[in-house]
Amino acid sequence: PLALIDKPQMGTGAALLSEVISIIATGRAAGIMSQPENDEECRKRITALLLEGRSVIVMDNIEKKIWLPSLAAAITSEIWTDRILGKSQTASLPHKTSWMGTGNNISLGGDLGRRCYWIRINAKNARPWLRTGFTHPNLKLWVRENRGRILAAVLVLVKAWINKGKPTNKDEVWLGSFEEWHRTILGL
């Protein structure tokens, strides 16, 4: 599903969080796209980014209600098929991409809401972009330098979950179309 990093105001750190997640997961920054004006533009961008082999894609600075059927289809597809721009040829691309979106007070339309999960961050500060005193002032650099240690810690957690038999909450309601993902995330 699409991870929506939502916040009450600009400068809170949603884009930074999405970049850090991508660096930890892949070793490189995510493919960034702005909110497309329409669904046709969205479809073209999805195809181009998947052709590049992007494993993390971020729609940054979502400003208006987002309802893009192509995005909804891409999020739940295992294979993305689309016409290659400028050619009379289609491409069928394996889709193993992780999606994130960032914005202020994000609003969704259609059934996109059931294909997303919310991460709400709030700096509780009138001008969060002016904050100081962080443990790691240059967080992206620190993550790049310590990526191995971070991944090792994550793998220890995963190994402990596997050693316990991958337990889950049997009473949990599963997120439709994402059952395996949901079972794994709840178990960890």
Side-chain angles (χ1 to χ4, degrees):
L2 172 68
L4 289 175
I5 306 172
D6 191 27
K7 56 203 177 4
Q9 65 190 45
M10 65 180 176
T12 303
L16 177 61
L17 178 58
S18 69
E19 287 182 76
V20 165
I21 290 168
S22 181
I23 293 167
I24 292 169
T26 68
R28 66 180 185 159
I32 303 289
M33 65 186 232
S34 59
Q35 183 176 358
E37 288 297 318
N38 56 55
D39 193 56
E40 182 179 345
E41 180 62 27
C42 181
R43 179 186 52 78
K44 291 174 185 176
R45 289 185 193 180
I46 290 168
T47 301
L49 287 165
L50 292 179
L51 279 168
E52 286 180 8
R54 291 294 180 162
S55 51
V56 178
I57 299 174
V58 177
M59 185 181 301
D60 195 23
N61 292 320
I62 298 170
E63 294 184 348
K64 52 190 171 196
K65 188 173 191 173
I66 181 170
W67 170 232
L68 299 162
S70 292
L71 179 60
I75 290 169
T76 53
S77 70
E78 290 184 31
I79 304 289
W80 175 258
T81 301
D82 191 27
R83 183 175 65 83
I84 299 172
L85 196 58
K87 296 184 179 183
S88 295
Q89 179 183 357
T90 60
S92 291
L93 306 163
H95 182 234
K96 304 218 182 274
T97 302
S98 294
W99 290 86
M100 290 184 267
T102 69
N104 301 329
N105 303 308
I106 298 171
S107 175
L108 302 174
D111 78 339
L112 196 55
R114 77 160 195 87
R115 300 165 194 238
C116 301
Y117 62 99
W118 245 269
I119 300 166
R120 180 79 172 171
I121 59 176
N122 187 346
K124 297 181 181 175
N125 185 308
R127 299 186 320 181
W129 59 91
L130 297 177
R131 292 174 295 163
T132 60
F134 294 105
T135 302
H136 304 291
N138 188 340
L139 184 59
K140 289 188 289 188
L141 176 63
W142 184 86
V143 167
R144 282 186 176 96
E145 291 173 349
N146 292 277
R147 182 173 177 251
R149 290 180 29 215
I150 295 166
L151 287 174
V154 170
L155 292 173
V156 166
L157 294 173
V158 172
K159 177 80 169 148
W161 175 66
I162 291 169
N163 287 344
K164 287 187 176 185
K166 300 181 185 176
T168 61
N169 181 350
K170 303 294 182 202
D171 298 327
E172 183 67 32
V173 176
W174 300 102
L175 183 58
S177 302
F178 305 100
E179 292 84 2
E180 187 63 26
W181 174 88
H182 197 181
R183 186 180 77 74
T184 302
I185 295 302
L186 286 175
L188 292 172

